[in-house]
Amino acid sequence: MKDKIKEALKEIVPDVYYGAGRFQGRENWDCIVFGKRRTGKSESKGGITRRYFVAIVKEEYIPEDLEKQVIEKMKTLGFKISDTDTAYDYVQKAGECIVEICTMEFGKTEKRCSR
């Protein structure tokens, strides 16, 4: 699944990283970082739900259409946006500019294996 998510998100922006983006020494911080958040029983108890986070990292601000594009790409892979709030964080890039980070969570339910 990791490779499928990475390839889908690369259709939106070229720089996509799994787990963490390495920002030290980078000229441009614009990228997407994604990874696993948690796994648990589905609401119906008949399967498991895998949750991933997707963080859009953009210098200055994140255009709203970029968030919508990420949601649509994840939907094509069978994910639904979680009912958790989308979080926005801000960091300063070495005195140059503010970087906005938008973190969304997505879930995908899988059937349990029968034994």
Side-chain angles (χ1 to χ4, degrees):
M1 183 54 64
K2 179 182 81 109
D3 293 335
K4 287 180 182 180
I5 294 171
K6 187 172 188 174
E7 289 308 311
L9 295 174
K10 277 188 163 210
E11 293 176 15
I12 301 170
V13 299
D15 294 329
V16 177
Y17 303 99
Y18 178 76
R22 309 243 188 286
F23 295 99
Q24 189 172 4
R26 287 184 47 197
E27 185 69 29
N28 184 353
W29 283 21
D30 296 350
C31 65
I32 293 178
V33 179
F34 75 98
K36 295 176 189 171
R37 180 73 82 199
R38 62 186 178 275
T39 301
K41 291 179 184 175
S42 66
E43 289 181 21
S44 68
K45 311 282 192 237
I48 58 169
T49 299
R50 297 192 189 277
R51 299 205 183 275
Y52 283 78
F53 73 90
V54 176
I56 304 167
V57 181
K58 189 93 169 123
E59 294 177 9
E60 302 297 341
Y61 71 97
I62 299 168
E64 287 184 25
D65 68 313
L66 193 56
E67 296 169 43
K68 292 175 186 173
Q69 289 178 49
V70 168
I71 293 167
E72 290 305 313
K73 281 294 174 192
M74 293 299 284
K75 281 183 180 179
T76 65
L77 297 173
F79 285 90
K80 293 181 182 178
I81 190 156
S82 297
D83 58 2
T84 57
D85 291 340
T86 296
Y88 294 88
D89 295 293
Y90 300 86
V91 296
Q92 188 168 2
K93 179 184 171 188
E96 294 178 34
C97 65
I98 295 296
V99 176
E100 186 172 51
I101 304 165
C102 168
T103 306
M104 298 178 275
E105 190 173 283
F106 296 88
K108 183 175 185 177
T109 302
E110 301 170 1
K111 292 182 181 179
R112 287 191 194 189
C113 298
S114 57
R115 291 182 181 224

